[in-house]
Amino acid sequence: MQQTILAIAGKPGLYKLVSRGNNNLIVEALDGTHKRIPAFATDRITSLSDIAMFTETDDVPLMDVLENMKTLEGGKKASINEKKASGQELRDYFTKVLPEWDQDRVQNSHIKKLISWYNILVEAGITDFKEEEAKETSSTEEA
C-alpha cells in the first residue's frame, strides 16, 4: 500500500498507482470521484512511504504518524476540521498525535495536509498504515 499511494505536487488529494505507461503513470484519485489521470515525469510524484515528519530528534515516517492518528481517533476520521481550526487548535491536536514534533519546521499547512490525507485514506478504507512493514519484519525473522 505504501508504495502505491502517491502525492502529486500541485494536485490536491492522494492518488493510487493503477498502471505504468511508456512515459507516464496512470493514477486514480482516492476521493469519491475515482478519476483516472496520467502523471508524467515532470510532475513531482512522491510515495507516502518516502515522506517523514520533522521531530526534535529523528524524522518520523509518515506511516508512523498516520498510525498514531488512527490510534488517537479509534480508526475514524479526524475529530478536528482542518479547514476551520485555528493555528493553535491544529498545533494542540498535532501535539497529541506526535508529541516531539519540531514546532519550528512543521507549519500549520503541513498539519492541515496531514489531517486531510488521513481523512482521505480512512474514507477510502485504507487504514493498515504499517501492514507492509509488519510483513517484512516477520519474513526476516523467519530467515
Side-chain angles (χ1 to χ4, degrees):
M1 185 279 303
Q2 298 174 13
Q3 296 294 328
T4 60
I5 305 299
L6 309 170
I8 301 174
K11 297 187 188 313
L14 293 173
Y15 298 86
K16 178 174 69 173
L17 177 63
V18 177
S19 177
R20 297 174 191 269
N22 287 341
N23 297 323
N24 63 7
L25 301 174
I26 305 300
V27 296
E28 180 179 298
L30 283 179
D31 60 11
T33 65
H34 297 291
K35 183 178 176 183
R36 290 187 178 192
I37 61 169
F40 298 95
T42 55
D43 295 324
R44 285 191 332 184
I45 304 168
T46 308
S47 169
L48 291 192
S49 62
D50 295 334
I51 300 173
M53 296 296 286
F54 297 120
T55 66
E56 297 294 340
T57 54
D58 293 331
D59 293 350
V60 175
L62 182 66
M63 290 301 152
D64 292 350
V65 178
L66 290 170
E67 187 66 32
N68 291 352
M69 284 185 74
K70 181 175 114 178
T71 302
L72 177 69
E73 299 294 352
K76 296 180 176 63
K77 286 179 65 175
S79 56
I80 187 171
N81 182 337
E82 74 277 6
K83 293 181 178 111
K84 294 182 180 176
S86 70
Q88 188 58 47
E89 289 170 330
L90 289 169
R91 294 170 105 59
D92 291 344
Y93 176 81
F94 197 57
T95 299
K96 293 178 195 171
V97 174
L98 191 65
E100 68 278 3
W101 65 284
D102 187 334
Q103 298 193 18
D104 294 328
R105 295 194 293 173
V106 176
Q107 305 298 316
N108 290 347
S109 61
H110 299 147
I111 299 170
K112 285 181 179 184
K113 187 176 284 190
L114 173 73
I115 295 168
S116 172
W117 285 358
Y118 172 78
N119 287 337
I120 289 169
L121 291 168
V122 169
E123 286 174 12
I126 301 170
T127 56
D128 295 330
F129 302 121
K130 300 186 90 169
E131 64 179 344
E132 290 181 16
E133 189 176 303
K135 288 178 188 172
E136 289 173 13
T137 303
S138 63
S139 65
T140 51
E141 288 174 359
E142 294 170 9

